[in-house]
Amino acid sequence: MTKKSKIISNTDQVDVRDFDLASPEHRIGALQAIIDNVCKQFERTARQSFHHLLRHPVAFTLEQQDTLKLQEYLQQMPTPSLYREFIVSPHDLHGTIAIDGELLFAMVDLFFGGLAKNQRSRKEMSDTELRLVERFFCVALEQFSNGWHSITNWQSQLTEKNTLRLGNVTQTNQLYQVCHFSMEVAGHKGWLAISLPFAGLDFLRDQQKPIDIDTDPELQARIQSKICQAPMHLTTTLAERRLSLGTVMDLKAGDVIPVELPSEVTVRAGNTALYTARVAENNASLVLQVQSVIKQ
């Protein structure tokens, strides 16, 4: 028995990239869709909660999700800002919630009846104000937890102190799923961000129902639509001319090589012939008019 194998040259692998089954990138898309739904619900309830708390209309909008290493996330966090860590049970998650410092000080001033125009960020906050800041974090965290209740049991609580450190190599290499929100209250614009460790979200895969592609027409249509959007490079040869080596060596700039356009050409995608086509003219441009489809 002779075993046959195809040898693929390096030139055939120009557009081929490795597919690492162990890479978390292949799971990020599915998790983002779940978290996006949670964030949309959080967006609505947080808007109402902060409105009641501050007695001012609050615009609260989900901007985007990012998958970042812990070190990148902490280093990219805008300043001034305050962040707290929280734990989630029963999933043993350790996440962070951060709020724009300038907006936070404005919210404190609004709560006590001010106009949010003084520069509280430059002064040390009183114990009463610090307790109010803690309340802001708790309100946001409570509404974020409510967004998860339709999916899983989710109980979150602020930790007594922050423990994330850039010097810890194990921590800095962890991926975090970061949800970015924008907030606006009484003319003051700012941001809020909630992050969750990507590795700790694996339990969501068990929560998802298996999908049968063969019996799901909606999924088939979506896959078909994505496939049809894949870019294709079509090529064809419009002219060929045989010349002697001596003639080619004698050619110089300005010389003319006479050619004739063929009546019919073959259109290819890579090495696969797809169509026969006629060379035509349309609006002073050369075009290819498909004459027939080549059966594979």
Side-chain angles (χ1 to χ4, degrees):
M1 179 177 178
T2 303
K3 181 178 179 180
K4 297 182 178 180
S5 61
K6 180 179 179 181
I7 299 177
I8 304 177
S9 67
N10 292 333
T11 56
D12 293 333
Q13 301 186 62
V14 172
D15 298 323
V16 177
R17 64 184 182 89
D18 293 335
F19 188 86
D20 183 5
L21 291 175
S23 172
E25 294 181 2
H26 309 311
R27 296 176 285 151
I28 289 176
L31 291 180
Q32 281 183 335
I34 297 175
I35 297 175
D36 189 66
N37 291 332
V38 172
C39 289
K40 287 296 184 181
Q41 183 173 340
F42 169 61
E43 177 185 291
R44 294 189 295 269
T45 58
R47 185 185 301 125
Q48 298 171 358
S49 296
F50 278 101
H51 185 183
H52 295 156
L53 185 63
L54 300 173
R55 301 178 298 280
H56 285 274
V58 178
F60 202 94
T61 307
L62 171 64
E63 296 294 337
Q64 66 183 50
Q65 285 190 58
D66 286 325
T67 305
L68 302 170
K69 286 186 177 181
L70 173 61
Q71 182 174 7
E72 295 174 358
Y73 169 58
L74 295 179
Q75 289 178 341
Q76 293 178 13
M77 189 178 295
T79 55
S81 63
L82 281 78
Y83 88 92
R84 290 293 306 276
E85 298 171 20
F86 63 90
I87 56 175
V88 178
S89 58
H91 304 297
D92 195 25
L93 292 178
H94 193 115
T96 69
I97 178 170
I99 303 180
D100 184 337
E102 295 288 355
L103 178 64
L104 191 59
F105 297 122
M107 290 164 60
V108 170
D109 199 46
L110 284 173
F111 181 85
F112 289 111
L115 300 177
K117 293 184 179 180
N118 57 340
Q119 298 295 321
R120 295 296 301 166
S121 59
R122 299 178 183 176
K123 302 178 182 179
E124 186 175 350
M125 301 184 74
S126 67
D127 291 340
T128 301
E129 290 172 327
L130 289 174
R131 286 195 294 270
L132 181 59
V133 169
E134 186 89 353
R135 184 176 177 184
F136 289 153
F137 278 112
C138 289
V139 168
L141 199 58
E142 178 184 3
Q143 298 308 319
F144 187 67
S145 297
N146 290 339
W148 284 97
H149 288 168
S150 61
I151 300 174
T152 183
N153 184 16
W154 186 285
Q155 305 297 328
S156 55
Q157 181 180 0
L158 290 174
T159 59
E160 293 185 1
K161 61 180 181 179
N162 295 335
T163 59
L164 296 177
R165 296 292 182 267
L166 290 178
N168 189 319
V169 178
T170 303
Q171 285 188 345
T172 56
N173 287 331
Q174 289 185 14
L175 287 176
Y176 272 68
Q177 198 67 19
V178 186
C179 307
H180 301 273
F181 302 87
S182 63
M183 294 181 63
E184 182 175 358
V185 54
H188 293 267
K189 296 181 179 180
W191 55 268
L192 182 146
I194 299 178
S195 69
L196 298 168
F198 184 81
L201 298 173
D202 282 343
F203 73 91
L204 290 175
R205 290 184 299 169
D206 300 329
Q207 306 264 340
Q208 301 179 60
K209 297 180 180 179
I211 299 176
D212 187 350
I213 298 178
D214 295 333
T215 59
D216 190 333
E218 181 180 353
L219 183 57
Q220 286 182 344
R222 288 166 57 189
I223 294 175
Q224 181 71 23
S225 175
K226 290 295 184 181
I227 292 176
C228 290
Q229 294 175 15
M232 295 284 293
H233 295 280
L234 302 181
T235 60
T236 190
T237 302
L238 293 181
E240 291 183 341
R241 181 65 187 267
R242 296 178 66 89
L243 296 174
S244 65
L245 177 59
T247 303
V248 172
M249 295 178 64
D250 291 337
L251 288 174
K252 57 183 180 297
D255 288 348
V256 176
I257 302 175
V259 295
E260 294 182 1
L261 293 179
S263 58
E264 193 173 80
V265 295
T266 301
V267 181
R268 300 176 180 274
N271 295 324
T272 304
L274 300 179
Y275 315 105
T276 60
R278 183 174 66 87
V279 182
E281 183 179 350
N282 182 36
N283 294 330
S285 298
L286 286 179
V287 297
L288 295 176
Q289 184 180 47
V290 176
Q291 300 296 299
S292 64
V293 178
I294 300 176
K295 294 182 178 181
Q296 302 303 315

